[in-house]
């Protein structure tokens, strides 16, 4: 579904979150207000489509390109054709790191000084420990949406449970989000405790999943569906695909 990969970039993250950014040959005329993108696709009149893939709990050397005994030929090929980074500023846990990835700022201004429900008693109510991606920072989804991009998100969010801090409220026009730190790969089994694992599609809580649900396959197919829904309108897309 996604062809003409132009550039792939790996970001090292010692907290166990890996990100892979693909710039894909895009469509849509560049306007004067759109900043130039270094190493852009062949035509200067086009803006790239961007697919941002995040792998959760993946060690630095779990990829072949970084020395793993596990064979990962497709990811290795993308890395060799692209740019590999080895000095990404990170937080020691998941959701603070995701806040930095999506906002480009330190996790404290982004409201995620620590992971959700993991703050110390003296941090409760303090600025920087609001336990959701705070509106005092802009997300890449909001910025690219303002620049004329379609914006899509599927997979793990872990940056807020309420509607007003969901992906739909933070710049993603379509989203299917696992809100917690994890969930059953095959069903609504929560990572801890009773009840169902929390999901949102756009702004709506999801009460059931397809019978053949498997998280990685489902999140991938949802992203493809979102991308295909607007393929013919000449606007580029930004996709944030976050596996759990």
């Amino acid at each position: 579904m996604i062809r003409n990969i132009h550039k792939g970039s790996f970001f090292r993250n010692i907290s166990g979150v890996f990100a892979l950014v693909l710039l894909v040959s895009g469509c849509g005329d560049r306007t004067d207000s759109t900043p130039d993108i270094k190493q852009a696709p062949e035509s200067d009149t086009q803006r790239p489509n961007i697919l941002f893939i995040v792998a959760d709990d993946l060690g630095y050397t779990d990829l072949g390109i970084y020395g793993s005994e596990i064979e990962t030929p497709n990811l290795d090929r993308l890395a060799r054709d692209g740019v590999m980074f080895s000095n990404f500023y990170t937080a020691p846990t998941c959701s603070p790191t995701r806040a930095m990835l999506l906002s480009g700022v330190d996790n404290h201004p982004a409201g995620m000084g620590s992971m959700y429900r993991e703050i110390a008693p003296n941090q409760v109510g303090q600025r920087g420990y609001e336990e959701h991606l705070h509106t005092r920072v802009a997300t890449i989804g909001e910025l690219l949406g303002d620049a004329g991009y379609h914006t899509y998100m599927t997979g793990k969010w872990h940056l807020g449970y309420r509607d007003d801090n969901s992906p739909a409220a933070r710049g993603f026009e379509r989203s299917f989000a696992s809100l917690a730190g994890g969930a059953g790969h095959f069903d609504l089994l929560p990572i801890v405790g009773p009840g169902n694992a929390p999901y949102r599609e756009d702004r709506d809580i999801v009460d059931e999943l397809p019978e053949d649900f498997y998280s990685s396959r489902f999140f991938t197919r949802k992203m493809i569906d979102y991308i295909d829904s607007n393929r013919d309108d000449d606007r580029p897309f930004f996709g944030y695909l976050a596996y759990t």
Side-chain angles (χ1 to χ4, degrees), residues 16-144:
V17 178
F18 247 94
L20 165 62
V21 180
L22 308 180
L23 300 188
V24 187
S25 294
C27 57
D29 294 335
R30 175 178 294 164
T31 65
D32 293 340
S33 62
T34 303
D36 289 337
I37 299 176
K38 293 181 180 179
Q39 299 176 324
E42 309 80 49
S43 172
D44 286 338
T45 64
Q46 292 182 330
R47 292 181 290 173
N49 296 315
I50 304 168
L51 180 61
F52 193 126
I53 302 174
V54 177
D56 199 22
D57 288 333
L58 183 66
Y60 179 48
T61 57
D62 282 345
L63 300 180
I65 193 67
Y66 287 111
S68 174
E69 74 281 4
I70 303 168
E71 294 184 1
T72 56
N74 292 321
L75 294 175
D76 296 350
R77 176 175 54 83
L78 291 172
R80 290 192 181 98
D81 290 343
V83 177
M84 296 173 63
F85 296 94
S86 61
N87 189 25
F88 171 68
Y89 287 93
T90 185
T93 54
C94 168
S95 44
T97 300
R98 291 168 188 270
M100 292 192 289
L101 283 172
L102 286 174
S103 69
V105 304
D106 181 80
N107 56 301
H108 292 82
M112 297 298 302
S114 187
M115 199 155 63
Y116 179 74
R117 291 183 178 173
E118 297 292 338
I119 64 174
N122 65 315
Q123 297 168 340
V124 176
Q126 298 299 313
R127 179 183 173 89
Y129 294 89
E130 290 88 352
E131 298 187 289
H132 63 267
L133 187 57
H134 204 279
T135 54
R136 60 176 163 261
V137 300
T139 71
I140 188 172
E142 290 167 332
L143 295 174
L144 288 176

Side-chain angles (χ1 to χ4, degrees), residues 164-212:
D164 60 356
N165 46 56
S166 67
R170 298 313 314 268
F172 292 97
E173 64 183 85
R174 295 303 315 273
S175 59
F176 192 100
S178 173
L179 303 178
H185 286 294
F186 298 95
D187 50 31
L188 286 168
L189 183 71
I191 190 170
V192 292
N196 290 337
Y199 286 87
R200 283 189 188 272
E201 182 161 23
D202 301 324
R203 292 185 178 271
D204 298 327
I205 292 292
V206 174
D207 295 323
E208 60 181 359
L209 297 170
E211 289 186 3
D212 65 345

